[in-house]
Amino acid sequence: MEENVEKFLEGIERDLPRLYLDEIVFSNEDEQRLAMINHKFYKSRNCYASNAISLLAAIRQYVSLKKINFSGNPSYHDLANLYYSLMTGNSTLANTRESKNYYSSAVSTLKNRKNPKILLLGFSTVYSLENLAALIHLSNLDNPKIIAFDINKQPLSEANVYCGTKLYNVEIEYEQGNAILSEFFEADSFDLIATHLFLTHIPDESKIRLINNVHKWLKPNSKFVDDEIIVPGTIDRNKYAKYYRTLGRHYIPPLDHSSMEKVANWMEKFGTYSIFFPYNDLDKLHRDFSKFSSLRSDHLRTRNIYSESDSLLRCPVYNITATKMRT
Ligand SMILES: C[S@@+](CC[C@H](N)C(=O)[O-])C[C@H]1O[C@@H](n2cnc3c(N)ncnc32)[C@H](O)[C@@H]1O
């Protein structure tokens, strides 16, 4: 098995230059195998996991930049695909070691449930869906199903093309809708609701409605799991957008200077999208979840927002686990 993994990774690395010359494309199965290697080996001493995630990022960076340059007028999600690949998938659900541990322990609580249904809220790119499906598969759940939910059509149709209705033996159903409206799902529908930096994208006046929907849709004794950033005070939107330019440096395929500038410009444009409404303090978040019988917020890491006269504005990110009461 290990020899096969090594050969597979070497083969992808060897073929990358041909991707950059547009002589070949990698298959969806190749990408899915890279993601799975990352999840299977992240705890082991070899470097398979880090190699796999870097190769996946290199492929996705090239493919998403090509699409953006071709269209000339990319959508938010086209830019999001480039953004997440420049981040090597970090900043998506279960991509870092800590985030994998957190979401996989939530998934493993479903081991004794039959046909567990998991709602993935607002997944943006295939990284989140693929990571969640991999964790579920590795936890050997009994006939699990993910309902991948987003307000926008693009992530749903891209994921459908990428993996269809099954990924790593986990059934996937797609649903387009607004999570602030409650009619989408019946009460007590889900064994787990998972998301990542989602409340940050919900305007403040709608956050409570969304949280109440999450409470309603969860089965009793089930959890909502999420990572959220807390940004105290107001932020300088200009500096925030400009800081995204620095992501251009993470582009792996070969690029000349002017193309590098282009990547930086696209990322600055991504940073100007004003769908960023983070909580300003953790107490407010706790109050909004008061319907839940318990809420845990564990400090996960800090995230850089932008530089402020030679120092970085760093904000805390928390794992949020809310449990609905047993009835
Ligand atoms: C930044 S993404 C969240 C990041 C993603 N979970 C990840 O880990 O990569 C926010 C996503 O939520 C979706 N979204 C925003 N508001 C929504 C709403 N009211 N209902 C459903 N989806 C929504 C957006 O279309 C976008 O795809």
Side-chain angles (χ1 to χ4, degrees):
M1 163 66 184
E2 299 226 343
E3 196 188 322
N4 281 345
V5 171
E6 203 161 311
K7 282 212 169 103
F8 172 71
L9 293 174
E10 280 169 10
I12 298 278
E13 193 164 1
R14 198 179 45 243
D15 285 344
L16 268 179
R18 296 182 60 212
L19 171 76
Y20 304 154
L21 293 169
D22 295 326
E23 290 175 2
I24 56 158
V25 288
F26 289 101
S27 68
N28 294 335
E29 289 73 23
D30 284 336
E31 291 191 29
Q32 288 157 19
R33 188 166 173 200
L34 286 170
M36 183 50 93
I37 290 171
N38 174 256
H39 285 282
K40 261 194 183 156
F41 290 97
Y42 79 99
K43 282 185 182 153
S44 47
R45 280 166 187 259
N46 60 46
C47 49
Y48 297 156
S50 55
N51 287 353
I53 199 70
S54 303
L55 292 169
L56 188 59
I59 295 170
R60 289 183 174 167
Q61 288 175 6
Y62 183 78
V63 171
S64 55
L65 182 61
K66 193 172 151 186
K67 184 175 180 209
I68 288 171
N69 285 338
F70 183 75
S71 102
N73 184 20
S75 67
Y76 168 82
H77 282 96
D78 291 332
L79 294 174
N81 280 325
L82 179 60
Y83 166 73
Y84 287 114
S85 65
L86 289 169
M87 298 282 288
T88 333
N90 290 339
S91 223
T92 65
L93 185 153
N95 217 75
T96 62
R97 173 180 289 266
E98 297 79 12
S99 191
K100 277 182 179 46
N101 288 339
Y102 171 66
Y103 286 96
S104 69
S105 72
V107 164
S108 65
T109 62
L110 307 180
K111 272 188 176 159
N112 52 5
R113 297 196 187 193
K114 286 211 175 317
N115 311 323
K117 279 174 74 182
I118 297 135
L119 177 63
L120 175 61
L121 270 184
F123 59 99
S124 194
T125 67
V126 293
Y127 271 113
S128 278
L129 180 58
E130 173 177 81
N131 291 344
L132 184 62
L135 296 184
I136 293 171
H137 179 62
L138 292 170
S139 291
N140 281 322
L141 301 189
D142 177 12
N143 196 26
K145 186 196 260 189
I146 296 177
I147 288 81
F149 187 80
D150 206 285
I151 199 167
N152 283 304
K153 196 162 181 214
Q154 189 175 343
L156 296 160
S157 47
E158 283 179 352
N160 208 341
V161 168
Y162 178 67
C163 58
T165 54
K166 218 161 219 190
L167 179 57
Y168 308 131
N169 274 338
V170 179
E171 210 184 314
I172 320 252
E173 209 176 277
Y174 300 93
E175 193 86 51
Q176 186 180 1
N178 183 347
I180 296 164
L181 308 176
S182 72
E183 71 261 24
F184 273 96
F185 304 106
E186 304 278 312
D188 303 345
S189 292
F190 296 103
D191 295 272
L192 179 72
I193 299 183
T195 188
H196 183 265
L197 288 178
F198 182 68
L199 290 168
T200 299
H201 285 255
I202 301 296
D204 291 345
E205 65 279 11
S206 303
K207 282 184 165 74
I208 279 272
R209 280 177 72 191
L210 170 79
I211 293 165
N212 288 346
N213 286 343
V214 166
H215 185 271
K216 176 180 161 197
W217 298 338
L218 274 174
K219 290 181 187 172
N221 200 27
S222 298
K223 290 185 192 319
F224 167 74
V225 283
D226 183 18
D227 282 352
E228 287 300 330
I229 189 167
I230 303 291
V231 181
T234 51
I235 62 166
D236 181 329
R237 293 271 168 169
N238 258 339
K239 283 187 183 163
Y240 174 74
K242 278 253 171 328
Y243 191 64
Y244 273 76
R245 297 187 66 78
T246 58
L247 286 166
R249 295 185 212 133
H250 300 234
Y251 193 77
I252 301 167
L255 266 191
D256 57 39
H257 182 72
S258 72
S259 312
M260 199 82 110
E261 267 300 290
K262 257 193 191 165
V263 177
N265 290 342
W266 287 129
M267 283 301 94
E268 183 174 346
K269 181 169 164 55
F270 183 64
T272 59
Y273 280 105
S274 59
I275 29 182
F276 189 61
F277 317 104
Y279 273 101
N280 295 142
D281 71 90
L282 196 56
D283 287 347
K284 170 81 171 81
L285 183 149
H286 273 252
R287 283 198 297 280
D288 285 356
F289 276 87
S290 57
K291 257 196 171 186
F292 284 79
S293 50
S294 83
L295 182 82
R296 282 190 60 162
S297 48
D298 297 310
H299 184 259
L300 171 66
R301 62 189 160 91
T302 50
R303 176 174 155 185
N304 301 336
I305 298 286
Y306 53 75
S307 328
E308 180 97 274
S309 52
D310 288 342
S311 66
L312 280 175
L313 180 67
R314 294 157 70 85
C315 295
V317 178
Y318 292 89
N319 289 144
I320 308 294
T321 310
T323 310
K324 177 169 171 176
M325 203 174 355
R326 192 193 297 267
T327 47

